[in-house]
Amino acid sequence: MPVDNSLSEPAHSTLSGVARVLVNAGKLQSRAAEDLVRQAREKKLNFVSAVVGAGAVSPVDLAHTLSTALALPLLDLNAVDPQRLPHNIIDAKLAHQYQVVVLGRRGNRLFIGGADPTDQEVVERIKFATQLQPEWVIVEHDKLNKLLAGSGASASEALEAIAGGDFDFDIAEEDATPKEEAADMTDVEDAPVVRFLQKMLIDAINMRASDLHFEPYEYHYRVRFRVDGELREITQPPIAIKDKLASRIKVISRMDIAEKRVPQDGRMKLKFGAKAIDFRVSTLPTLFGEKIVIRILDPSSAKLGIEALGYEKIEKERLLACIQRPYGMVLVTGPTGSGKTVSLYTCLNILNQPGVNISTVEDPAEINLPGVNQVNVNDKAGLTFSAALKSFLRQDPDVIMVGEIRDLETADIAIKAAQTGHMVMSTLHTNDAPTTLTRLLNMGVAPFNIASSVLLITAQRLARRLCENCKAPAEYPRDALLRAGFAEVELDGSWKPYRAVGCSSCNNGYRGRVGLYQVMPVTEAIQRIILSEGTAMDIAAQARAEGVRDLRQSGLVKVKAGVTTLEEVLAATNE
């Protein structure tokens, strides 16, 4: 496709091509661009080499700027296997001379990767030499040089080593005849999208991401991963792939690919090495296309054991004592993304024995646990939380898990089940353990029913865990530690806090997350407060008197142990 270089800017009339694009984009000042043009001319270099060599603009920034300004596709050459590129269209000498790499051919169209798509002389020479119509794909200058030098890394080999699969990435089949090309055009055009999706999923798993976000906007498309609770932008693929990528995800998630007007939910599975990982997929129509979020559901997370979740010894003993009771209710509370489901499934995994009948109802079931009867809510069909609970009581259950108590009817049935010889576990969205009891009262549950059924409430948050390889001692003012919640007697110099540093094996000094827990048993004293319809403040005061740590205190214990930083605890518990 020809590139329009007529970017009209009278102030930059002495500049052309890449220089003008960079000035218009605010990446270079006019004077600096003119100096670099002169230096390139004197040293007989192309302008891109001069800019990158001088460190004025990084290769990544340059490639993204050109792709956006000229509306050309951007390709990461690390995702290209050099062995699969066509080598018989342009010889190596010409490729080095023109600073391009041939990526593929379709009919009379020749896809060439280069760092300077404004060089029309190169286009005309390639067109004359090959009798094909060149079309530019933007690539990064440094990666192009490595590839031309024969040292480009093979993404196929890397992916194959990671996942045991034969993945590759090419633009098109080189030698397809026009007839074959017409018949197989859909497969050829979709192949890069298929491989791109495979690479994104594998990268997300390797980075220990919990979610992938595919987000279309008016002029660009971006992919973000949530790693250790933080969203990070990973790449900006060409906006032209948004519809094909959405269709590909819908097909393998068993959604309706023709329906783009309403949200949809689906699931898919990827074999990753020796294990299979489930993905929960959600689509949402936005102004400029369908946003897709993929949640990674690793079944092994429920089998890590309660020690891996970060419970302190006393908290773990309280929780294990309650879930081993023959009947009653255990509630886990916290905001979305605080790890409630993993905590509940860890408890279910402990109880999952041949002699125990366990049933769960969720919206939807996130983790597949063999030996557990799992039911998905289906409101359209009438299968609500309350309807499933009523059915469970006729299925001779020992343990019932309700994904979330949302209304009075579900709460009433769950409490009656807990009172009639069943262990019931569920979640609510409240800030801490004491407010959970008042939330049930506000929903309309009778105080007597709450006091007689609820055994224990766990409130939780997730904080990023410090990387053991690079964490370093930190110095905090004594006043800051006292304001955070440390007692004067704790600042005796017997321990030291740590700070995040960052290394090649972590994410800015953090690797993984750890739970902060408030584990509050409902004792007789708390039952009396409930029966007298006391406030959450009354319950919290009684819990403190009984030695129950609140979320902030639980986090400070992790700071003393060097597990996380004070900043993380303050952010996670800043109500």
Side-chain angles (χ1 to χ4, degrees):
M1 89 187 69
V3 177
D4 182 8
N5 295 322
S6 59
L7 300 171
S8 56
E9 279 288 336
H12 315 320
S13 58
T14 59
L15 301 176
S16 61
V18 176
R20 183 181 296 184
V21 171
L22 292 176
V23 171
N24 288 340
K27 301 296 181 180
L28 283 178
Q29 296 295 325
S30 298
R31 179 65 59 83
E34 291 169 0
D35 290 341
L36 286 169
V37 168
R38 185 175 61 254
Q39 291 173 23
R41 191 179 300 117
E42 291 171 355
K43 296 179 181 180
K44 297 183 178 180
L45 295 173
N46 60 49
F47 180 76
V48 170
S49 297
V51 169
V52 174
V57 182
S58 71
V60 175
D61 199 7
L62 175 63
H64 279 277
T65 302
L66 290 174
S67 176
T68 302
L70 303 176
L72 291 174
L74 178 65
L75 177 66
D76 183 359
L77 284 178
N78 283 345
V80 174
D81 186 345
Q83 302 303 318
R84 294 184 60 86
L85 293 176
H87 300 288
N88 58 347
I89 298 180
I90 298 178
D91 64 43
K93 184 177 179 180
L94 286 177
H96 278 274
Q97 179 184 342
Y98 299 154
Q99 285 291 288
V100 296
V101 59
V102 176
L103 298 169
R105 171 188 173 183
R106 184 181 298 129
N108 69 338
R109 297 153 64 198
L110 183 67
F111 298 93
I112 56 172
D116 183 0
T118 64
D119 194 340
Q120 287 301 304
E121 183 180 357
V122 169
V123 170
E124 293 303 321
R125 288 184 178 182
I126 292 177
K127 185 175 181 180
F128 178 80
T130 62
Q131 295 300 300
L132 298 172
Q133 178 60 49
E135 294 193 7
W136 281 108
V137 176
I138 306 291
V139 297
E140 294 165 32
H141 180 264
D142 55 344
K143 294 178 182 177
L144 174 63
N145 284 341
K146 287 182 180 179
L147 187 67
L148 292 175
S151 59
S154 169
S156 299
E157 293 173 5
L159 292 177
E160 187 173 348
I162 292 169
D166 183 19
F167 301 111
D168 53 77
F169 194 105
D170 59 327
I171 296 296
E173 292 180 1
E174 176 191 335
D175 297 321
T177 64
K179 184 175 181 181
E180 289 170 337
E181 179 191 344
D184 199 38
M185 181 64 73
T186 302
D187 292 338
V188 170
E189 292 182 347
D190 287 349
V193 172
V194 172
R195 296 186 177 99
F196 174 76
L197 178 60
Q198 287 173 333
K199 186 178 189 305
M200 288 297 99
L201 293 175
I202 291 170
D203 285 350
I205 293 168
N206 284 333
M207 294 173 66
R208 307 179 312 282
S210 60
D211 301 86
L212 297 83
H213 293 241
F214 297 89
E215 302 169 317
Y217 297 96
E218 186 173 8
Y219 299 114
H220 72 284
Y221 190 75
R222 72 175 176 181
V223 180
R224 295 192 290 175
F225 293 172
R226 188 175 293 279
V227 181
D228 294 338
E230 287 191 336
L231 271 177
R232 299 171 54 188
E233 183 172 318
I234 300 301
T235 185
Q236 288 194 14
I239 194 170
I241 75 167
K242 65 178 183 179
D243 292 329
K244 288 185 179 180
L245 186 60
S247 296
R248 174 64 179 171
I249 293 173
K250 285 181 176 180
V251 166
I252 58 181
S253 305
R254 293 179 172 83
M255 298 184 197
D256 183 357
I257 64 171
E259 182 56 78
K260 300 181 180 180
R261 299 166 298 173
V262 297
Q264 295 188 66
D265 293 304
R267 297 178 74 96
M268 61 186 183
K269 181 175 289 189
L270 172 69
K271 287 187 177 179
F272 187 75
K275 64 180 180 179
I277 295 179
D278 290 314
F279 299 86
R280 190 181 74 193
V281 185
S282 173
T283 69
L284 180 69
T286 67
L287 286 177
F288 305 108
E290 289 179 286
K291 177 184 176 181
I292 300 173
V293 176
I294 301 178
R295 168 69 58 88
I296 300 176
L297 308 171
D298 188 355
S300 63
S301 62
K303 301 178 182 179
L304 293 175
I306 198 165
E307 292 81 8
L309 300 183
Y311 284 91
E312 297 296 326
K313 186 173 184 293
I314 184 66
E315 297 166 347
K316 180 178 70 173
E317 290 173 353
R318 288 172 181 162
L319 179 59
L320 292 178
C322 281
I323 65 172
Q324 297 291 351
R325 299 268 290 272
Y327 58 87
M329 179 179 284
V330 173
L331 296 172
V332 179
T333 77
T336 300
S338 60
K340 300 187 298 295
T341 300
V342 172
S343 292
L344 281 178
Y345 267 93
T346 300
C347 294
L348 291 180
N349 192 52
I350 294 170
L351 299 175
N352 189 14
Q353 303 296 328
V356 180
N357 180 18
I358 302 176
S359 296
T360 75
V361 54
E362 301 166 80
D363 185 20
E366 294 190 1
I367 298 174
N368 180 24
L369 196 59
V372 174
N373 305 292
Q374 297 173 273
V375 175
N376 276 338
V377 165
N378 188 339
D379 289 326
K380 290 182 180 178
L383 182 56
T384 60
F385 280 115
S386 56
L389 269 173
K390 290 176 183 176
S391 180
F392 284 172
L393 295 177
R394 297 190 290 271
Q395 292 280 320
D396 186 29
D398 296 304
V399 179
I400 296 172
M401 196 270 271
V402 185
E404 182 183 349
I405 293 178
R406 297 177 178 173
D407 51 51
L408 177 59
E409 184 181 10
T410 303
D412 273 338
I413 300 171
I415 284 175
K416 288 174 183 175
Q419 291 171 333
T420 55
H422 307 93
M423 170 55 64
V424 179
M425 300 180 187
S426 189
T427 71
L428 278 90
H429 290 283
T430 58
N431 289 333
D432 57 16
T435 56
T436 304
L437 296 171
T438 55
R439 169 75 183 277
L440 290 172
L441 287 170
N442 292 337
M443 288 173 67
V445 181
F448 172 78
N449 285 334
I450 297 174
S452 62
S453 60
V454 179
L455 301 176
L456 177 137
I457 302 171
T458 295
Q460 66 182 70
R461 299 290 188 275
L462 290 177
R464 290 183 294 173
R465 188 189 293 268
L466 274 168
C467 174
E468 292 295 331
N469 293 331
C470 64
K471 67 180 183 180
E475 296 293 336
Y476 293 104
R478 191 179 186 85
D479 290 345
L481 295 174
L482 291 172
R483 285 196 304 271
F486 283 107
E488 188 76 42
V489 295
E490 291 180 284
L491 305 180
D492 55 5
S494 62
W495 60 276
K496 55 186 176 182
Y498 284 85
R499 61 183 174 86
V501 177
C503 65
S504 60
S505 62
C506 67
N507 176 29
N508 296 324
Y510 297 96
R511 182 178 174 87
R513 290 192 285 178
V514 65
L516 312 180
Y517 302 96
Q518 179 186 28
V519 181
M520 187 184 80
V522 179
T523 60
E524 290 185 7
I526 292 178
Q527 286 177 342
R528 284 193 290 271
I529 296 174
I530 297 170
L531 291 172
S532 63
E533 298 190 21
T535 65
M537 294 177 64
D538 298 330
I539 296 171
Q542 180 61 38
R544 280 195 301 273
E546 295 175 357
V548 175
R549 297 190 189 101
D550 62 22
L551 288 166
R552 174 64 62 83
Q553 291 170 333
S554 178
L556 297 180
V557 171
K558 299 291 192 298
V559 173
K560 287 181 66 175
V563 175
T564 188
T565 61
L566 183 62
E567 291 82 2
E568 275 296 296
V569 170
L570 295 179
T573 60
N574 186 22
E575 304 298 347

